[in-house]
Amino acid sequence: MGQQEKVATSLTAAVGAEIGASLAAVDAELARRYPGDPGTRQPVHTVYVPADAFTAGTIRAWGDQALAALDEHAPDAAAFAGALGIPEELAVPVHDRVRAKLEREPVEDLRIDFEDGYGPRPDAEEDEAAARAARLVSAAYADGTAAPYMGIRMKCMEAAVRDRGIRTTDIFLTGLLQAGGLPDGLVLTLPKVTYPEQVTAFVRLLEAFEQTHGLPAGRLGFEIQIETSQSILAADGTAAVARMIDAAQGRATGLHYGTFDYSACVGVSPAYQASDHPAADHAKAVMQVAAAGTGVRVCDGSTNVLPVGPTAQVHEAWRLHHGLTRRALARAYYQGWDMHPGHLPTRYAAVYAFYREGLAPAASRLAAYVAKAGGDVMDEPATAKALSGYLLRGIDCGALDADEVTGLTGLSRADLDGFASPRRADLTVSMPR
């Protein structure tokens, strides 16, 4: 042991105290605006079904149709991998996990649509559909057939449909309460948001509902769907989407990109409307930066190219969807919208290959970080956080098994939660597999 170093200082404790006091308001503001990831499971996709088409058997029907598409157009692992360009070593594990997922939990997040997919209807008809949706969602959670997340997309806060959207939301939420209560997986999606004031108005609606029924303040959250250019760049040149997150007063859970409405808004012709168009990339990049650290998650849009018809046509549509999904994952958009049961095989194939091909290197880097072993990459705490988040997302969606991750990292689920987010470590969440 060498001689202990002498330490000298020049400043009194009062200086630090004064600086701390001067930054107290900033500290509080940072904690309020940027609480970090909520620590809950994020679904890999959102499926939306028009309200008049939704039934108690919709989720199982989507899974069965997806399995039938596999049987017809890619009956084994080699055929499926060959159609999508999945590496040979991943063909069997990806194929087997996709089939198991479609049998066990084909849909992770389902939105019953009262907006574009439903359209204008007589009030009595939409009233009945909203009440029916509440009854079916409540029954699904009661009998174990629900998706982990379910809810509605109501009509927007624009003047022409505002009252209808408010009434549908009220009927749906009231019906859930009457049927037994609000499920933990409840999600609401507010579409076509253009001004932060529309978000404020929806917050007021939810506050009124909570107060009427004696619910805890903030019990009801919602997603904001970004479908207009004005939601990205306001008239005054500011990023309106950041102001929308603030206007939600902590209730915003996600920002969902609307591929086709946004594309049309900025003048993209129909043949080029896609989630990989430069206009889409710009919008989602702004959304991503605005949401970073806030706990609000960003969700990609959808493709309207459906995998139907002869096998060659299905494979072409599958390759498109698979490629768009992989592209989104690489850009940290871990969720997207699916429009057809035939999209489920390629959604899960892309997601599972993404996590399985990265399992060994991510686990090795995280284990080396924990052991301070070094290696050829020098990682920092932020990278350990990202590595843990990557592995956790893989476990949550079924791409990875918790035991195999523990075997490679030496870390338990609780350890991973602790690295990924303090909020994760504090939560005890039931995560269906």
Side-chain angles (χ1 to χ4, degrees):
M1 296 291 292
Q3 183 177 358
Q4 186 173 0
E5 192 72 31
K6 292 182 178 180
V7 176
T9 63
S10 302
L11 303 177
T12 66
V15 174
E18 179 185 351
I19 291 172
S22 71
L23 291 175
V26 170
D27 293 340
E29 186 76 347
L30 280 170
R32 182 184 73 84
R33 288 184 182 274
Y34 303 105
D37 187 85
T40 54
R41 173 183 178 179
Q42 181 180 10
V44 302
H45 69 167
T46 298
V47 161
Y48 78 92
V49 177
D52 58 329
F54 177 69
T55 71
T58 291
I59 292 174
R60 186 61 266 153
W62 273 59
D64 290 343
Q65 290 176 57
L67 286 166
L70 275 178
D71 290 339
E72 181 177 358
H73 302 294
D76 55 40
F80 192 45
L84 301 181
I86 294 173
E88 183 179 353
E89 64 273 14
L90 290 176
V92 171
V94 167
H95 175 265
D96 290 352
R97 285 175 184 268
V98 168
R99 290 198 66 93
K101 179 74 167 182
L102 295 175
E103 292 166 356
R104 182 184 74 252
E105 186 185 76
V107 174
E108 292 196 353
D109 183 28
L110 185 140
R111 210 67 71 250
I112 304 166
D113 191 26
F114 287 89
E115 203 231 356
D116 284 350
Y118 183 72
R121 306 288 180 101
D123 282 339
E125 183 178 343
E126 185 160 338
D127 283 354
E128 184 178 354
R132 176 173 165 273
R135 174 174 56 81
L136 291 174
V137 168
S138 182
Y141 278 106
D143 66 20
T145 60
Y149 299 95
M150 295 182 73
I152 64 169
R153 178 171 72 168
M154 67 291 295
K155 290 179 173 64
C156 69
M157 282 289 163
E158 293 177 356
V161 295
R162 182 184 304 139
D163 289 344
R164 182 64 260 180
I166 291 172
R167 182 171 174 83
T168 296
T169 304
D170 186 9
I171 292 170
F172 178 70
L173 294 176
T174 300
L176 288 176
L177 284 180
Q178 291 176 341
L182 303 179
D184 290 339
L186 174 64
V187 188
L188 305 174
T189 303
L190 179 66
K192 292 183 176 59
V193 181
T194 303
Y195 284 85
E197 289 81 2
Q198 293 168 325
V199 174
T200 301
F202 197 64
V203 168
R204 174 67 190 110
L205 170 64
L206 299 183
E207 286 176 341
F209 189 88
E210 289 167 350
Q211 292 164 7
T212 298
H213 292 282
L215 298 171
R219 169 63 182 86
L220 293 165
F222 61 98
E223 302 162 338
I224 301 169
Q225 199 156 16
I226 303 301
E227 301 177 89
T228 67
S229 62
Q230 295 89 348
S231 60
I232 296 298
L233 188 68
D236 62 0
T238 61
V241 66
R243 291 161 54 205
M244 290 174 184
I245 293 172
D246 191 50
Q249 300 177 33
R251 293 177 185 267
T253 58
L255 300 175
H256 285 230
Y257 177 68
T259 304
F260 305 104
D261 281 285
Y262 188 91
S263 297
C265 181
V266 297
V268 179
S269 62
Y272 299 97
Q273 292 178 359
S275 61
D276 60 351
H277 189 279
D281 284 341
H282 171 258
K284 287 180 287 187
V286 174
M287 291 162 60
Q288 190 173 50
V289 173
T294 65
V296 177
R297 288 157 166 171
V298 176
C299 176
D300 198 6
S302 59
T303 176
N304 60 0
V305 179
L306 305 184
V308 296
T311 294
Q313 185 173 323
V314 169
H315 283 188
E316 184 177 356
W318 271 356
R319 282 190 289 271
L320 173 65
H321 184 244
H322 182 267
L324 290 173
T325 302
R326 281 301 306 250
R327 184 180 189 272
L329 290 167
R331 286 158 174 76
Y333 308 130
Y334 299 113
Q335 185 177 355
W337 282 60
D338 290 329
M339 299 178 69
H340 188 272
H343 286 141
L344 299 185
T346 39
R347 170 67 61 182
Y348 291 122
V351 170
Y352 287 3
F354 176 75
Y355 289 114
R356 292 212 65 81
E357 70 188 21
L359 168 60
S364 176
R365 287 179 66 178
L366 186 57
Y369 173 84
V370 172
K372 307 298 183 186
D376 59 355
V377 178
M378 183 176 291
D379 286 323
E380 297 187 358
T383 305
K385 177 180 179 179
L387 290 167
S388 297
Y390 173 88
L391 296 172
L392 286 166
R393 283 190 295 272
I395 293 170
D396 288 344
C397 71
L400 310 176
D401 297 326
D403 288 346
E404 68 177 331
V405 173
T406 297
L408 290 169
T409 62
L411 302 173
S412 67
R413 170 80 195 221
D415 295 329
L416 294 172
D417 286 337
F419 276 113
S421 167
R423 297 171 76 184
R424 273 188 176 269
D426 292 340
L427 288 175
T428 301
V429 181
S430 176
M431 297 185 178
R433 297 288 178 264

